[in-house]
mmCIF file with all atom_site columns, all heavy atoms in Angstrom:
data_model
loop_
_atom_site.group_PDB
_atom_site.id
_atom_site.type_symbol
_atom_site.label_atom_id
_atom_site.label_alt_id
_atom_site.label_comp_id
_atom_site.label_asym_id
_atom_site.label_entity_id
_atom_site.label_seq_id
_atom_site.pdbx_PDB_ins_code
_atom_site.Cartn_x
_atom_site.Cartn_y
_atom_site.Cartn_z
_atom_site.occupancy
_atom_site.B_iso_or_equiv
_atom_site.pdbx_formal_charge
_atom_site.auth_seq_id
_atom_site.auth_comp_id
_atom_site.auth_asym_id
_atom_site.auth_atom_id
_atom_site.pdbx_PDB_model_num
ATOM 1  N N   . ALA A 1 115 ? -57.309 -76.649 -0.461 1.00 0.00 ? 410 ALA A N   1
ATOM 2  C CA  . ALA A 1 115 ? -57.182 -77.873 0.338  1.00 0.00 ? 410 ALA A CA  1
ATOM 3  C C   . ALA A 1 115 ? -56.750 -77.533 1.768  1.00 0.00 ? 410 ALA A C   1
ATOM 4  O O   . ALA A 1 115 ? -57.305 -78.083 2.736  1.00 0.00 ? 410 ALA A O   1
ATOM 5  C CB  . ALA A 1 115 ? -56.177 -78.820 -0.318 1.00 0.00 ? 410 ALA A CB  1
ATOM 6  N N   . ALA A 1 116 ? -55.812 -76.611 1.910  1.00 0.00 ? 411 ALA A N   1
ATOM 7  C CA  . ALA A 1 116 ? -55.330 -76.241 3.249  1.00 0.00 ? 411 ALA A CA  1
ATOM 8  C C   . ALA A 1 116 ? -56.453 -75.605 4.061  1.00 0.00 ? 411 ALA A C   1
ATOM 9  O O   . ALA A 1 116 ? -56.647 -75.921 5.248  1.00 0.00 ? 411 ALA A O   1
ATOM 10 C CB  . ALA A 1 116 ? -54.155 -75.273 3.122  1.00 0.00 ? 411 ALA A CB  1
ATOM 11 N N   . MET A 1 117 ? -57.228 -74.740 3.419  1.00 0.00 ? 412 MET A N   1
ATOM 12 C CA  . MET A 1 117 ? -58.325 -74.074 4.127  1.00 0.00 ? 412 MET A CA  1
ATOM 13 C C   . MET A 1 117 ? -59.426 -75.080 4.462  1.00 0.00 ? 412 MET A C   1
ATOM 14 O O   . MET A 1 117 ? -60.067 -74.987 5.514  1.00 0.00 ? 412 MET A O   1
ATOM 15 C CB  . MET A 1 117 ? -58.865 -72.917 3.288  1.00 0.00 ? 412 MET A CB  1
ATOM 16 C CG  . MET A 1 117 ? -57.912 -71.731 3.253  1.00 0.00 ? 412 MET A CG  1
ATOM 17 S SD  . MET A 1 117 ? -58.566 -70.264 2.452  1.00 0.00 ? 412 MET A SD  1
ATOM 18 C CE  . MET A 1 117 ? -58.401 -70.657 0.737  1.00 0.00 ? 412 MET A CE  1
ATOM 19 N N   . THR A 1 118 ? -59.641 -76.051 3.566  1.00 0.00 ? 413 THR A N   1
ATOM 20 C CA  . THR A 1 118 ? -60.648 -77.089 3.827  1.00 0.00 ? 413 THR A CA  1
ATOM 21 C C   . THR A 1 118 ? -60.231 -77.933 5.029  1.00 0.00 ? 413 THR A C   1
ATOM 22 O O   . THR A 1 118 ? -61.065 -78.255 5.895  1.00 0.00 ? 413 THR A O   1
ATOM 23 C CB  . THR A 1 118 ? -60.816 -77.990 2.581  1.00 0.00 ? 413 THR A CB  1
ATOM 24 O OG1 . THR A 1 118 ? -61.125 -77.159 1.469  1.00 0.00 ? 413 THR A OG1 1
ATOM 25 C CG2 . THR A 1 118 ? -61.914 -79.008 2.762  1.00 0.00 ? 413 THR A CG2 1
ATOM 26 N N   . VAL A 1 119 ? -58.961 -78.270 5.096  1.00 0.00 ? 414 VAL A N   1
ATOM 27 C CA  . VAL A 1 119 ? -58.452 -79.045 6.243  1.00 0.00 ? 414 VAL A CA  1
ATOM 28 C C   . VAL A 1 119 ? -58.679 -78.250 7.533  1.00 0.00 ? 414 VAL A C   1
ATOM 29 O O   . VAL A 1 119 ? -59.147 -78.799 8.548  1.00 0.00 ? 414 VAL A O   1
ATOM 30 C CB  . VAL A 1 119 ? -56.957 -79.389 6.039  1.00 0.00 ? 414 VAL A CB  1
ATOM 31 C CG1 . VAL A 1 119 ? -56.345 -79.920 7.329  1.00 0.00 ? 414 VAL A CG1 1
ATOM 32 C CG2 . VAL A 1 119 ? -56.790 -80.402 4.921  1.00 0.00 ? 414 VAL A CG2 1
ATOM 33 N N   . ALA A 1 120 ? -58.394 -76.942 7.472  1.00 0.00 ? 415 ALA A N   1
ATOM 34 C CA  . ALA A 1 120 ? -58.583 -76.092 8.661  1.00 0.00 ? 415 ALA A CA  1
ATOM 35 C C   . ALA A 1 120 ? -60.051 -76.088 9.082  1.00 0.00 ? 415 ALA A C   1
ATOM 36 O O   . ALA A 1 120 ? -60.369 -76.209 10.276 1.00 0.00 ? 415 ALA A O   1
ATOM 37 C CB  . ALA A 1 120 ? -58.107 -74.678 8.361  1.00 0.00 ? 415 ALA A CB  1
ATOM 38 N N   . LEU A 1 121 ? -60.941 -75.987 8.099  1.00 0.00 ? 416 LEU A N   1
ATOM 39 C CA  . LEU A 1 121 ? -62.376 -75.976 8.389  1.00 0.00 ? 416 LEU A CA  1
ATOM 40 C C   . LEU A 1 121 ? -62.812 -77.311 8.994  1.00 0.00 ? 416 LEU A C   1
ATOM 41 O O   . LEU A 1 121 ? -63.562 -77.351 9.992  1.00 0.00 ? 416 LEU A O   1
ATOM 42 C CB  . LEU A 1 121 ? -63.155 -75.695 7.093  1.00 0.00 ? 416 LEU A CB  1
ATOM 43 C CG  . LEU A 1 121 ? -64.671 -75.646 7.211  1.00 0.00 ? 416 LEU A CG  1
ATOM 44 C CD1 . LEU A 1 121 ? -65.111 -74.498 8.110  1.00 0.00 ? 416 LEU A CD1 1
ATOM 45 C CD2 . LEU A 1 121 ? -65.319 -75.477 5.829  1.00 0.00 ? 416 LEU A CD2 1
ATOM 46 N N   . PHE A 1 122 ? -62.328 -78.397 8.435  1.00 0.00 ? 417 PHE A N   1
ATOM 47 C CA  . PHE A 1 122 ? -62.681 -79.728 8.934  1.00 0.00 ? 417 PHE A CA  1
ATOM 48 C C   . PHE A 1 122 ? -62.180 -79.926 10.372 1.00 0.00 ? 417 PHE A C   1
ATOM 49 O O   . PHE A 1 122 ? -62.885 -80.495 11.215 1.00 0.00 ? 417 PHE A O   1
ATOM 50 C CB  . PHE A 1 122 ? -62.121 -80.821 8.018  1.00 0.00 ? 417 PHE A CB  1
ATOM 51 C CG  . PHE A 1 122 ? -63.151 -81.358 7.080  1.00 0.00 ? 417 PHE A CG  1
ATOM 52 C CD1 . PHE A 1 122 ? -63.326 -80.797 5.826  1.00 0.00 ? 417 PHE A CD1 1
ATOM 53 C CD2 . PHE A 1 122 ? -63.986 -82.410 7.443  1.00 0.00 ? 417 PHE A CD2 1
ATOM 54 C CE1 . PHE A 1 122 ? -64.297 -81.268 4.955  1.00 0.00 ? 417 PHE A CE1 1
ATOM 55 C CE2 . PHE A 1 122 ? -64.953 -82.897 6.582  1.00 0.00 ? 417 PHE A CE2 1
ATOM 56 C CZ  . PHE A 1 122 ? -65.109 -82.319 5.333  1.00 0.00 ? 417 PHE A CZ  1
ATOM 57 N N   . LEU A 1 123 ? -60.960 -79.469 10.637 1.00 0.00 ? 418 LEU A N   1
ATOM 58 C CA  . LEU A 1 123 ? -60.412 -79.617 11.992 1.00 0.00 ? 418 LEU A CA  1
ATOM 59 C C   . LEU A 1 123 ? -61.282 -78.879 12.995 1.00 0.00 ? 418 LEU A C   1
ATOM 60 O O   . LEU A 1 123 ? -61.572 -79.380 14.084 1.00 0.00 ? 418 LEU A O   1
ATOM 61 C CB  . LEU A 1 123 ? -58.976 -79.083 12.043 1.00 0.00 ? 418 LEU A CB  1
ATOM 62 C CG  . LEU A 1 123 ? -57.920 -79.962 11.356 1.00 0.00 ? 418 LEU A CG  1
ATOM 63 C CD1 . LEU A 1 123 ? -56.562 -79.270 11.353 1.00 0.00 ? 418 LEU A CD1 1
ATOM 64 C CD2 . LEU A 1 123 ? -57.814 -81.316 12.062 1.00 0.00 ? 418 LEU A CD2 1
ATOM 65 N N   . MET A 1 124 ? -61.738 -77.701 12.583 1.00 0.00 ? 419 MET A N   1
ATOM 66 C CA  . MET A 1 124 ? -62.574 -76.905 13.466 1.00 0.00 ? 419 MET A CA  1
ATOM 67 C C   . MET A 1 124 ? -63.914 -77.588 13.712 1.00 0.00 ? 419 MET A C   1
ATOM 68 O O   . MET A 1 124 ? -64.410 -77.644 14.847 1.00 0.00 ? 419 MET A O   1
ATOM 69 C CB  . MET A 1 124 ? -62.799 -75.548 12.812 1.00 0.00 ? 419 MET A CB  1
ATOM 70 C CG  . MET A 1 124 ? -62.827 -74.430 13.794 1.00 0.00 ? 419 MET A CG  1
ATOM 71 S SD  . MET A 1 124 ? -62.409 -72.919 12.975 1.00 0.00 ? 419 MET A SD  1
ATOM 72 C CE  . MET A 1 124 ? -63.542 -72.911 11.640 1.00 0.00 ? 419 MET A CE  1
ATOM 73 N N   . LEU A 1 125 ? -64.498 -78.131 12.646 1.00 0.00 ? 420 LEU A N   1
ATOM 74 C CA  . LEU A 1 125 ? -65.791 -78.807 12.768 1.00 0.00 ? 420 LEU A CA  1
ATOM 75 C C   . LEU A 1 125 ? -65.655 -80.096 13.587 1.00 0.00 ? 420 LEU A C   1
ATOM 76 O O   . LEU A 1 125 ? -66.550 -80.440 14.371 1.00 0.00 ? 420 LEU A O   1
ATOM 77 C CB  . LEU A 1 125 ? -66.355 -79.111 11.371 1.00 0.00 ? 420 LEU A CB  1
ATOM 78 C CG  . LEU A 1 125 ? -66.813 -77.871 10.597 1.00 0.00 ? 420 LEU A CG  1
ATOM 79 C CD1 . LEU A 1 125 ? -67.058 -78.191 9.130  1.00 0.00 ? 420 LEU A CD1 1
ATOM 80 C CD2 . LEU A 1 125 ? -68.089 -77.289 11.221 1.00 0.00 ? 420 LEU A CD2 1
ATOM 81 N N   . LYS A 1 126 ? -64.545 -80.775 13.429 1.00 0.00 ? 421 LYS A N   1
ATOM 82 C CA  . LYS A 1 126 ? -64.279 -81.993 14.220 1.00 0.00 ? 421 LYS A CA  1
ATOM 83 C C   . LYS A 1 126 ? -64.213 -81.646 15.711 1.00 0.00 ? 421 LYS A C   1
ATOM 84 O O   . LYS A 1 126 ? -64.710 -82.378 16.571 1.00 0.00 ? 421 LYS A O   1
ATOM 85 C CB  . LYS A 1 126 ? -62.949 -82.620 13.772 1.00 0.00 ? 421 LYS A CB  1
ATOM 86 C CG  . LYS A 1 126 ? -63.081 -83.577 12.612 1.00 0.00 ? 421 LYS A CG  1
ATOM 87 C CD  . LYS A 1 126 ? -63.560 -84.945 13.108 1.00 0.00 ? 421 LYS A CD  1
ATOM 88 C CE  . LYS A 1 126 ? -63.706 -85.931 11.950 1.00 0.00 ? 421 LYS A CE  1
ATOM 89 N NZ  . LYS A 1 126 ? -64.554 -87.058 12.349 1.00 0.00 ? 421 LYS A NZ  1
#
Side-chain angles (χ1 to χ4, degrees):
Chain A
M412 287 187 282
T413 305
V414 168
L416 180 63
F417 260 91
L418 287 175
M419 217 156 53
L420 290 167
K421 273 279 180 198

